[in-house]
Amino acid sequence: MSAYYILTQTVIDLEKYTQAYIAKVVPLLAKHKAEVLVADFDAKPLQGDPAKSVVVIRFPSEQAIRDFLHDPDYQPILKVRISLTKNGNAVMAPEFTMPD
């Protein structure tokens, strides 16, 4: 069953983030069979005071998300993401199926 990785954060330096993070993370997402469904650096808040950026990524499973997050090749890229953002929050959730 598919699972979703939802990340909200505020990007501090968009140019550096695009060059140093996005360019390097895209091949890793492909390696883990992930599909970016939503990516917006200036999401419109509807409630509260959320971070400016939102990303929703579909993975084949929750284990695939864990494998991506713990991939040794991702660790230095993750440090770049964290250094170029603030107010980051990430969650994972399984695909919704309507109860019978």
Side-chain angles (χ1 to χ4, degrees), residues 28-75:
L28 277 174
L29 291 171
K31 173 183 172 183
H32 292 276
K33 297 180 177 37
E35 178 185 6
V36 178
L37 302 177
V38 175
D40 190 348
F41 293 111
D42 195 22
K44 310 305 179 267
L46 298 176
Q47 181 179 353
D49 188 22
K52 299 259 184 216
S53 174
V54 63
V55 179
V56 178
I57 304 171
R58 179 174 40 219
F59 284 82
S61 65
E62 288 185 0
Q63 186 59 51
I65 294 172
R66 288 185 196 94
D67 292 345
F68 164 73
L69 293 174
H70 295 102
D71 188 320
D73 293 335
Y74 182 58
Q75 301 317 300

Side-chain angles (χ1 to χ4, degrees), residues 14 16-27 29 41 77:
L14 185 55
K16 281 185 184 176
Y17 184 84
T18 301
Q19 294 171 356
Y21 180 73
I22 293 176
K24 294 179 180 175
V25 78
V26 168
L29 291 171
F41 293 111
I77 300 169

Side-chain angles (χ1 to χ4, degrees), residues 76-87:
I77 300 169
L78 174 61
K79 288 179 185 176
V80 169
R81 180 180 71 77
I82 291 170
S83 75
L84 295 173
T85 62
K86 63 181 182 179
N87 196 25

